[in-house]
Amino acid sequence: MNNAILMSSGADDIDFMIHGVFSYELFGQTLWITTSHVCILIVVLLIAALGIAANRTMKHAKEIPEGFQNVLEILVEKLDGVVYGTMGKVAAPKFVNYISTIFIFIFMSNISGLFGLRPPTADYGTTLALGLITFFLIHITQFKNLPLSQIWKDMCSPLPPWLPIWFPINLISEIAVPISLSLRLFANVLSGTVMMALVYGLLSKIALVWPAALHVYFDLFSGAIQTYVFCMLTMTYISQNYETE
Amino acid sequence: MNITGEDLILACSAIGAGLAVIAGIGPGIGQGIAAGHAAAAVGRNPGAKGDVMSTMLLGQAVAETTGLYGLLIAMLLLFVKPLV
């Protein structure tokens, strides 16, 4: 923290950094279990509890749904609709489970700021992992579905395949995909976290009820939009490799 | 008043952070244009509101990325202090 600036503004309880909980030694390196790990654990346990409850409910599913079963059916139907609408009938059944999983995980992580946690997606480690999963999925499906000649032609795309001048530039744009995906999610959630920390830190005397509106915008609205965008971009990138079929 | 080298770097980092968030102008204009055209599209064809909205949000989020890069640079300069 830049203590000089913050102390002079009269607030020393602005806190949006990641803290270490405890450290351990592994192969001579000191590694830390941080607050991000703890928050991810809480989110994952919550999702697991939701899954177990959903399983128990759907085992005793009724013809005319009521209560929790309604919620689950709406959730699954909406996610199915979005994935099928974007990826088409061929690719969608293979990826609907994965897309739904990351959708629920990122959404729960983003809105966990509402419950006083530091959102795990405001840690670049989390979002880079998600971006790398997308990157490998794109290229595995590419090598599975397209012949090598087609991939080479795409990589040299504005020029003919025997003149690979454009190849390095296309390579850079491929590598930029996971970086821009992860940085977009990270920076959006981080900016919300920093704004809320500044409001609670600098205006702590008058921050009574109105920060709730800011929470609705930064945590709920922004979080939902960024979740949608991450899943949408993942689906578009993956389904590009199915277009020739 | 003695100004050490570190103080100078901190002060210049603060100025640099302020300059870096000027990057927010571009995405602001771009998102406004996208929203305006989406509003016009919904006005012409109200039935396609859902598709227009999702396309607009996707495009806006992609356009927002450049502004967020500027924000990240500002945060790095202020809180990580790579130059000190």
Side-chain angles (χ1 to χ4, degrees), chain A residues 161-229:
Chain A
W162 46 266
L163 191 66
I165 299 173
W166 216 254
F167 179 77
I169 296 170
N170 279 333
L171 197 66
I172 291 173
S173 73
E174 291 291 328
I175 293 171
V177 164
I179 299 174
S180 74
L181 263 181
S182 54
L183 276 181
R184 180 179 305 127
L185 182 59
F186 166 67
N188 263 293
V189 182
L190 181 72
S191 64
T193 312
V194 171
M195 287 292 277
M196 292 319 296
L198 288 180
V199 165
Y200 283 127
L202 293 178
L203 305 175
S204 55
K205 294 208 175 63
I206 55 169
L208 276 179
V209 179
W210 57 269
L214 291 179
H215 269 300
V216 169
Y217 177 75
F218 285 123
D219 290 329
L220 273 179
F221 179 72
S222 190
I225 295 278
Q226 289 310 314
T227 311
Y228 178 72
V229 165

Side-chain angles (χ1 to χ4, degrees), chain A residues 147-162 170:
Chain A
L148 278 177
S149 57
Q150 177 71 35
I151 296 173
W152 178 252
K153 210 173 145 191
D154 286 345
M155 288 299 278
C156 309
S157 75
L159 293 173
W162 46 266
N170 279 333

Side-chain angles (χ1 to χ4, degrees), chain A residues 44-78:
Chain A
V44 167
L45 285 179
L46 199 70
I47 295 173
L50 189 74
I52 292 168
N55 190 18
R56 286 169 69 96
T57 311
M58 293 313 281
K59 267 185 183 155
H60 311 287
K62 297 189 188 80
E63 188 83 21
I64 300 161
E66 55 182 17
F68 191 45
Q69 192 187 342
N70 260 329
V71 177
L72 292 174
E73 285 183 2
I74 288 172
L75 182 70
V76 172
E77 266 174 22
K78 290 282 175 199

